[in-house]
Amino acid sequence: MKLGLALPQYGVFADPSATLRVAAEAEAMGFDSLWVSDRLLLPVAPRDRYITPDGVIPSAYENFLDPLTLLAAVATTTSRVRLGTSTLNALWQPPALLARTVTTLDQLSGGRIDLGIGVGWMRDEYQAVGVPWEGRGARLEETLDVLDAFWSHDVVAHEGPLWTVPESLVKARPVRRPPVLLAGLVPPALTRVARRADGWLAVGLPLPMLQATIASIRQQAEAFGRDPGALRFPLRINPHITAEKADPAHVPHVGTIGQFADYVRRVEGVVDEVFADFQLTANTVDEYLDLARAWRGQHPAAHGTVPGPVTDS
């Protein structure tokens, strides 16, 4: 089981110095990966509800740093950890530009980029960047086609409903073709993962639902003639860490470090990686790192170096 950590990026953590500090210390702790997410704005009167039961978008999202710019900085100050996006709203920019940016990031990092893509859920953001809300699935399919063209051939050409790339020489290539991981829970999105992605960006579902979803993706991948064993399943969790034990029904979203670590142990073998975002539970960088260190200490068999002993409530 690989362990990862979300990089400080929003709310009180929207400070590049915090991002770089956590990146350096997380790599030293032995984490396997570091991840950024993507939010453009916080509407005063949002048209879409948030994914939590109360539907309220966290106020911390009003201060959100650009994910790819942060990864560029972290790429030059780390040497081992993989660097991922979970998730990048890739449809907000032309895919030819995205291909160039990710290629450059991969070169900066020495081949450590994992490109996690989603279509987003907030139509206000689409309005702000001038991209139609309708037709997101088709836009994503063509985006993946263009990325594939740029990363597969010296002479690049593409003609589709949305973009035309004239036959061109593009020799800038990633050090290692970045794995493309897709997000989504609706059936067409899961089928798209099975058909053409390198993996699925899993979320903190109840364990039976998580197992069933991943099994479905694997079965569909095999039906498409792909190797289901080659797919990756990193799982993102945004836990609220408490001092007292929470109702087991609320774990992993709420609970102690020990409860969170127990959940991670239960999903081993279901997913291949778990990464945590403590930005909605910690208040300072020191507290963020303490939570990361405590959780990392609960998994001494994970990849990387083992930190000193910790205690847990």
Side-chain angles (χ1 to χ4, degrees):
M1 169 70 77
K2 293 182 179 180
L3 302 180
L5 197 64
L7 285 167
Q9 186 182 5
Y10 58 84
V12 298
F13 298 101
D15 178 349
S17 65
T19 308
L20 294 177
R21 179 185 169 193
V22 169
E25 296 199 27
E27 184 171 60
M29 286 181 211
F31 279 98
D32 297 287
S33 58
L34 298 170
W35 300 78
V36 290
S37 53
D38 197 3
R39 238 350 8 98
L40 179 64
L41 45 78
L42 177 61
V44 173
R47 288 180 284 173
D48 298 293
R49 289 173 54 85
Y50 192 53
I51 56 176
T52 54
D54 62 11
V56 178
I57 305 173
S59 60
Y61 290 175
E62 68 186 11
N63 190 12
F64 215 107
L65 299 182
D66 179 72
L68 298 183
T69 304
L70 288 180
L71 278 192
V74 172
T76 62
T77 57
T78 58
S79 61
R80 177 187 57 80
V81 286
R82 292 199 63 82
L83 307 174
T85 59
S86 174
T87 60
L88 183 73
N89 288 300
L91 306 188
W92 296 347
Q93 56 187 299
L97 293 181
L98 178 62
R100 183 182 65 177
T101 299
V102 176
T103 294
T104 305
L105 276 174
D106 198 69
Q107 290 186 9
L108 280 171
S109 69
R112 292 183 285 137
I113 297 297
D114 290 339
L115 182 61
I117 292 177
V119 298
W121 53 269
M122 193 191 303
R123 67 192 71 200
D124 296 292
E125 291 176 314
Y126 274 75
Q127 181 179 23
V129 296
V131 174
W133 175 252
E134 295 76 16
R136 297 184 306 285
R139 185 175 290 268
L140 175 57
E141 290 282 358
E142 192 169 346
T143 293
L144 296 175
D145 291 341
V146 174
L147 292 177
D148 185 65
F150 270 78
W151 292 339
S152 300
H153 310 287
D154 287 341
V155 179
V156 177
H158 171 83
E159 186 171 350
L162 298 174
W163 297 284
T164 297
V165 179
E167 196 169 54
S168 307
L169 292 171
V170 181
K171 293 192 176 181
R173 292 287 186 84
V175 174
R176 175 176 176 269
R177 184 186 175 115
V180 175
L181 312 169
L182 298 180
L185 284 170
V186 298
L190 299 177
T191 298
R192 184 179 295 114
V193 172
R195 179 167 48 83
R196 64 179 308 177
D198 297 300
W200 178 55
L201 292 166
V203 292
L205 300 171
L207 187 54
M209 187 180 299
L210 181 65
Q211 291 172 314
T213 303
I214 290 176
S216 172
I217 293 172
R218 291 188 189 279
Q219 290 167 3
Q220 291 186 72
E222 189 169 18
F224 283 118
R226 305 183 68 209
D227 177 8
L231 296 178
R232 290 177 50 194
F233 296 95
L235 168 63
R236 181 191 186 106
I237 304 176
N238 306 327
H240 177 68
I241 301 301
T242 58
E244 301 296 327
K245 286 190 175 181
D247 183 334
H250 298 155
V251 178
H253 304 292
V254 179
T256 65
I257 281 288
Q259 287 181 300
F260 178 53
D262 286 342
Y263 174 86
V264 172
R265 281 187 279 269
R266 289 198 300 273
V267 300
E268 186 169 2
V270 179
V271 299
D272 45 61
E273 181 169 0
V274 174
F275 61 99
D277 182 351
F278 296 118
Q279 290 175 89
L280 294 176
T281 192
N283 295 306
T284 66
V285 175
D286 286 340
E287 186 179 354
Y288 193 96
L289 287 166
D290 285 344
L291 290 171
R293 192 173 293 109
W295 175 45
R296 179 66 183 81
Q298 294 277 334
H299 299 276
H303 295 185
T305 59
V306 179
V310 297
T311 59
D312 176 49
S313 58

